[in-house]
Amino acid sequence: MARVYNFSAGPSVLPEAVLKQAADEMLDYKGSGMSVMEMSHRSKVYDNIIKEAEKDLRDLLAIPDNYKVLFLQGGASQQFAAIPMNLMKNGVADYIITGQWAKKAYEEAKKYGTANAIASSADKTFSYIPDCSDLPISEDADYVYICHNNTIYGTAFKELPNTKGKILVADMSSDILSQPVNVSDYGMIYFGVQKNVGPAGVVVVIIREDLIRDDVMPFTPTMLKYKTQADNDSLYNTPPCYGIYICGLVFKWVKEMGGLEAMKIHNEKKAAILYDFLDSSKMFKGTVVPKDRSLMNVPFVTGNDELDAKFVKEATEAGFVNLKGHRSVGGMRASIYNAMPIEGVQKLVEFMKAFEEANS
Ligand SMILES: *Cc1c(COP(=O)(O)O)cnc(C)c1O
C-alpha cells in the first residue's frame, strides 16, 4: 500500500487512523453485526453515533448551550440559499466578498432579498482581506456574511469584521477545527465537511437558537428550514448517516491530538515551513498578502505557466498529488489541512528546493 501526500483542496486527506478504524468497523460496527451504512437512522446504535458526534464537536468548539448543531445535506452551497431564506427578517443582508465562495453566496442571496456587497478584494484577485473595521453596515441588515477562510485564494480573516452589532454568519468550510473559534462571536457558523472534517455529503450548521424561526420566507422548502431540522435533531428525514459517522471519528481524532489549541500549533508549524520557503525562494512565490495568509490553503506560482505545469507533473510523479491551482487562479495550491502530517510539508519543500535547483 502506498499512500500519497494528498494536497487536494477538497475532498481531501483524512487521518489515516480514522480510515483504518472505519475499515475495521466496516462489516460489524461494535457487535451490531452490520455496517453503519446498513443500519436504520432511527436505531439505538445509530442514535449513539450521531449524539456522540454532536457531543464531541460541542466539546471541541466549546459550543454554548444556546446554539444548535445540525447535520445536513446539500453541501455548503445549499446554505447560500438557506441562510437568506431563514435569516432575512428585514430582507437585507451585507456580504463581504473575499473570493468565489463569498461571491456565490452573495449572488444567491440576491434572489431572496437585498444583498449588499459592502467590501470586496476582487480588485486584486482576492489576494487580501479588506479592512473591515468600519464598513458601511446597513442599518436594517439581518446579518453580515463572511467566508472565514478562502479555499481558492488562500486568505483568511485574522480579525473579525466590526459588524456594528449585527449578527455575523460565517462559512468555515475550509478551516473549521484548524484552530479555536469563539462560537459566541457568531450567529451562525456552517461548514461543508469535505475539506477538513470528513467525506463529502455532510454540512454542519451551528446556529444560535433565537435565530431559528418559524416565520421564514413562506416558500422555504421544509428541508431547508432550520426549525424543521432543529426540532427533529437532524433526523427529520434520513441524514447522511455514514458521513456523520466518519465526522464523529475525526472529532475523536482531533480530541486525541489535543484539541483545537494543539491543532493550531500543529497547523502553524506546517504552514510556516511552506511560507518560509516561499519567502526565500527565487522561483516560487506566494500569491497572498503575508498578513492575510491562510493556514490551510497555500497558493503559489513560479510566474511561468510552463514551469508551473512541469512542477505539477513532476511533483505528482514523486507522490505529491493534487497540487494544481484552482482553475480560476492557475499556478499551484497546497492544501495542508489537519490530517496532512508535518512530514508531508517538509518533504514537499525538499522537493520544491530540488526542483528549483534543477530548473534555474
Ligand atoms: C468547498 C467550499 C464550498 C462549497 O462546498 P460544497 O459542499 O461543494 O457546496 C463553499 N465554501 C467554501 C469556503 C468552500 O471551501
Side-chain angles (χ1 to χ4, degrees):
M1 184 197 70
R3 300 240 327 143
V4 292
Y5 288 114
N6 180 6
F7 294 92
S8 172
S12 33
V13 58
L14 287 169
E16 213 168 282
V18 165
L19 297 176
K20 280 189 176 142
Q21 188 178 343
D24 284 347
E25 294 176 340
M26 181 60 76
L27 296 182
D28 177 10
Y29 177 77
K30 294 194 175 163
S32 66
M34 60 180 97
S35 168
V36 174
M37 276 184 231
E38 303 172 297
M39 59 182 60
S40 166
H41 59 296
R42 309 269 176 218
S43 63
K44 184 82 199 109
V45 58
Y46 191 74
D47 199 54
N48 283 337
I49 292 174
I50 191 168
K51 290 243 164 68
E52 213 165 298
E54 176 174 342
K55 186 191 173 296
D56 286 331
L57 182 63
R58 283 187 174 277
D59 290 350
L60 282 169
L61 286 165
I63 299 174
D65 288 344
N66 63 327
Y67 284 73
K68 284 270 187 202
V69 174
L70 310 175
F71 293 96
L72 310 176
Q73 306 195 49
S77 301
Q78 180 79 285
Q79 295 304 313
F80 299 167
I83 289 164
M85 284 182 194
N86 281 273
L87 301 187
M88 274 186 177
K89 225 157 133 182
N90 302 327
V92 180
D94 290 345
Y95 281 72
I96 297 173
I97 315 295
T98 52
Q100 226 179 76
W101 296 120
K103 186 154 184 284
K104 282 191 171 156
Y106 161 66
E107 295 295 345
E108 189 73 14
K110 283 203 274 191
K111 295 186 181 175
Y112 304 106
T114 306
N116 304 303
I118 55 166
S120 168
S121 50
D123 60 334
K124 290 180 182 160
T125 341
F126 301 115
S127 58
Y128 69 102
I129 298 288
D131 177 0
C132 296
S133 58
D134 186 18
L135 294 173
I137 307 283
S138 309
E139 205 148 294
D140 48 355
D142 292 307
Y143 59 88
V144 175
Y145 181 101
I146 61 169
C147 180
H148 195 261
N149 182 80
N150 296 282
T151 325
I152 296 172
Y153 300 95
T155 60
F157 280 85
K158 304 293 165 78
E159 218 175 294
L160 293 181
N162 174 2
T163 64
K164 304 184 181 171
K166 304 298 183 195
I167 288 154
L168 184 61
V169 172
D171 176 355
M172 293 199 182
S173 293
S174 51
D175 68 341
I176 194 76
L177 303 188
S178 65
Q179 57 185 3
V181 174
N182 186 19
V183 174
S184 49
D185 287 342
Y186 303 84
M188 172 177 157
I189 292 168
Y190 74 99
F191 52 97
V193 306
Q194 73 272 22
K195 308 289 162 58
N196 205 21
V197 182
V202 184
V203 58
V204 179
V205 168
I206 301 167
I207 182 169
R208 221 172 63 200
E209 272 169 358
D210 61 290
L211 300 175
I212 301 174
R213 299 164 26 227
D214 220 6
D215 58 333
V216 298
M217 293 187 185
F219 49 76
T220 306
T222 308
M223 282 288 292
L224 292 192
K225 193 168 156 182
Y226 296 138
K227 189 159 187 340
T228 305
Q229 303 289 355
D231 286 352
N232 290 280
D233 295 325
S234 307
L235 294 168
Y236 172 74
N237 73 329
T238 319
C241 300
Y242 195 78
I244 294 168
Y245 154 71
I246 300 288
C247 291
L249 296 184
V250 172
F251 298 153
K252 288 206 185 297
W253 177 81
V254 175
K255 275 182 149 179
E256 272 162 34
M257 295 286 288
L260 299 187
E261 287 290 351
M263 278 329 306
K264 180 174 192 244
I265 292 168
H266 167 71
N267 288 324
E268 282 175 346
K269 230 186 246 173
K270 277 189 306 189
I273 293 169
L274 191 45
Y275 285 124
D276 287 350
F277 171 68
L278 291 173
D279 289 343
S280 69
S281 167
K282 290 201 165 59
M283 176 179 284
F284 297 102
K285 292 273 164 285
T287 57
V288 166
V289 170
K291 74 172 178 50
D292 298 327
R293 284 169 166 175
S294 165
L295 282 182
M296 298 277 96
N297 310 98
V298 184
F300 55 95
V301 294
T302 64
N304 174 332
D305 290 348
E306 269 167 44
L307 200 56
D308 286 351
K310 184 168 191 262
F311 173 78
V312 170
K313 181 169 177 289
E314 291 182 13
T316 306
E317 286 161 5
F320 306 100
V321 310
N322 289 319
L323 280 166
K324 195 169 184 306
H326 189 270
R327 56 190 186 278
S328 69
V329 189
M332 283 71 70
R333 171 179 48 172
S335 295
I336 49 176
Y337 296 119
N338 283 354
M340 173 58 65
I342 199 156
E343 307 82 61
V345 179
Q346 283 163 340
K347 286 185 180 157
L348 173 65
V349 166
E350 282 165 31
F351 179 82
M352 290 168 78
K353 279 182 186 159
F355 183 90
E356 180 167 350
E357 234 162 75
N359 290 276
S360 47

